[in-house]
Amino acid sequence: MTKEWLGGTTIFAEMSALAVRTGAINLGQGFPDTDGPEEIREAAVRALRDGRGNQYPPGPGVPELRTAVAAHQRRFYGLTYDPDAEVLVTAGATEAIAAALLALVEPGDEVIALEPYYDSYAACIGMAGGTRVPVTLRPHDGAYHLDLDELRAAVTGRTRLILLNTPHNPTGTVLGREELAAIAELAVERDLLVVTDEVYEHLVFEGEHVPISSFPGMRERTLTISSAGKTFSFTGWKVGWVTGPPKLVTAVRSAKQFLTYVASGPFQYAIAEALRLPDSYFEEIRTDLRAKRDVLSAGLTAAGFEVYRPSGTYFVTTDIRPLGETDGFAFCRALPERCGVVAVPNSVFYDDPDAGRTQVRFAFCKQKGVLDDAVDRLKQLVH
């Protein structure tokens, strides 16, 4: 575990601290700068006042939320899950990933992950005793793409599971139906488990989000993970969930009970209400973030970056070579002083830091005025 830890802290903590120290606009870490719907906040307050969730909630999660998660999967994807046996509530998606890998991976098992990847993946695979096998998404034609032949070649007799993330952080790639069908076929053929991180499922700007569990032969071998933080702009509430077949969900619960045990009691009731918001809410958040993506992408292009246009998520990845730069770490550490903006070097998301050495990620889940200000500041790089 070498890439994400810097003197005992993560790159996100380091860059956020740098933003505070310099007064720079923080486009490094992926959290919104406004809260989610008022009625959902009030639902949390109401739960607190009514004494719901102030003590330990049930281990699998409150029944209201498990029922709402099952209804969400049926409403958006036509997938049917038993709220009692096939849904588990977790302390955000990060705990769900940790518990799933601890439950399903034995020492020496190989886990295929799409690289660059969310920084907890490496840590969780390592804690489980597994061996990380990266399959790298590579940029061309203005976006990042998966090489299915490379994925097939990565599977060996020791491969236990494929860890998917779509919509993909940090690249913004959204895997299409043909790609997912090929991955599903491979998983069935080689009898692999799939753990899929779908926290950005409602933040898709081009294409569509299709759960891999909906493909033939996949429901019984797939654990699907999502959370409320990104969809509803309440990242601090840490409410996530896992859906899948009873045997796999039970295994994850067995690991989860020794991690947080339970969490986020009153917030679970509020998120149960959030998942029942009308379609208009989900469309509005997509439309809002699509516009913000376009503002920041255009500004970064004007500032001289090569921009890889994301099809989903909170993030846009850039290449700094057109600016005459070759070291993303050095560039990001100097950027706050140069123009008052904070970003994150993508090399922290790779096993081999040189693979993403010239790539830098910016978050656009901020107020439009903040993004406009950031774009104005970034213009200093070309003057």
Side-chain angles (χ1 to χ4, degrees), residues 131-208:
T131 299
R132 196 165 63 251
V133 178
V135 172
T136 304
L137 304 181
R138 294 186 171 84
H140 59 84
D141 299 327
Y144 283 76
H145 302 273
L146 170 64
D147 185 329
L148 289 169
D149 290 334
E150 186 176 343
L151 176 65
R152 292 186 191 95
V155 177
T156 74
R158 295 182 300 276
T159 305
R160 172 66 169 163
L161 65 79
I162 299 173
L163 177 54
L164 283 184
N165 176 208
T166 181
H168 184 263
N169 173 17
T171 69
T173 294
V174 177
L175 296 179
R177 285 183 179 271
E178 290 186 5
E179 292 167 307
L180 291 167
I183 296 169
E185 183 179 347
L186 176 64
V188 172
E189 175 190 334
R190 301 300 295 270
D191 194 23
L192 304 177
L193 298 175
V194 173
V195 174
T196 175
D197 175 355
E198 302 182 3
V199 299
Y200 295 98
E201 60 185 311
H202 290 293
L203 308 184
V204 175
F205 316 127
E206 274 90 39
E208 61 178 334

Side-chain angles (χ1 to χ4, degrees), residues 284-299:
E284 286 167 8
I285 192 171
R286 274 195 300 273
T287 300
D288 178 64
L289 281 167
R290 183 186 293 115
K292 291 174 177 178
R293 174 203 63 177
D294 293 344
V295 166
L296 184 58
S297 296

Side-chain angles (χ1 to χ4, degrees), residues 253-270:
R253 182 182 173 189
S254 297
K256 182 254 189 307
Q257 67 185 337
F258 297 113
L259 297 174
T260 61
Y261 175 49
V262 292
S264 313
F267 299 128
Q268 292 191 33
Y269 294 96

Side-chain angles (χ1 to χ4, degrees), residues 110-125:
E110 292 180 350
V111 177
I112 294 174
L114 303 186
E115 186 187 51
Y117 36 67
Y118 178 56
D119 64 341
S120 80
Y121 293 179
C124 293
I125 294 169

